[in-house]
């Protein structure tokens, strides 16, 4: 994920977190410290999700290559 995608996704998450009467607001409130911690957690989660997606994509590519080109030692 590039920086623009990352920033846009984080902004969407922040919008949901600060939505009055939304799920997050109802469960955790909207004080600045809680929102700051939630933003940090969301940023970490996005980074982890990006790494996972990259790994899954690479594994899928390697499997497809091995299926399409047998006998090449999976390289």
């Amino acid at each position: 994920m590039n920086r623009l995608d990352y920033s846009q996704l984080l902004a969407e998450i922040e919008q949901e977190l600060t939505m009055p009467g939304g799920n997050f607001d109802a469960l955790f409130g909207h004080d600045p410290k809680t929102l700051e911690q939630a933003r940090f957690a969301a940023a970490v989660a996005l980074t982890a999700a990006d790494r996972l997606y990259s790994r899954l994509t690479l594994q899928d590519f390697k499997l497809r290559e091995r299926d399409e080109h047998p006998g090449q030692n999976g390289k």
Side-chain angles (χ1 to χ4, degrees), residues 7 9-19 35 39 42:
S7 297
L9 283 168
L10 193 56
E12 288 176 25
I13 292 168
E14 286 182 59
Q15 184 178 3
E16 282 191 42
L17 296 178
T18 58
M19 189 179 305
L35 292 174
R39 184 178 192 278

Side-chain angles (χ1 to χ4, degrees), residues 18-35:
T18 58
M19 189 179 305
N23 289 333
F24 187 85
D25 185 44
L27 291 171
F28 304 105
H30 54 269
D31 68 273
K33 183 171 175 102
T34 299
L35 292 174

Side-chain angles (χ1 to χ4, degrees), residues 20-64:
N23 289 333
F24 187 85
D25 185 44
L27 291 171
F28 304 105
H30 54 269
D31 68 273
K33 183 171 175 102
T34 299
L35 292 174
E36 180 183 334
Q37 291 172 340
R39 184 178 192 278
F40 178 76
V44 171
L46 279 177
T47 302
D50 184 49
R51 290 289 88 222
L52 175 62
Y53 183 75
S54 293
R55 177 175 286 200
L56 292 175
T57 302
L58 179 61
Q59 288 175 343
D60 185 48
F61 171 77
K62 286 180 178 180
L63 285 172
R64 190 173 57 250

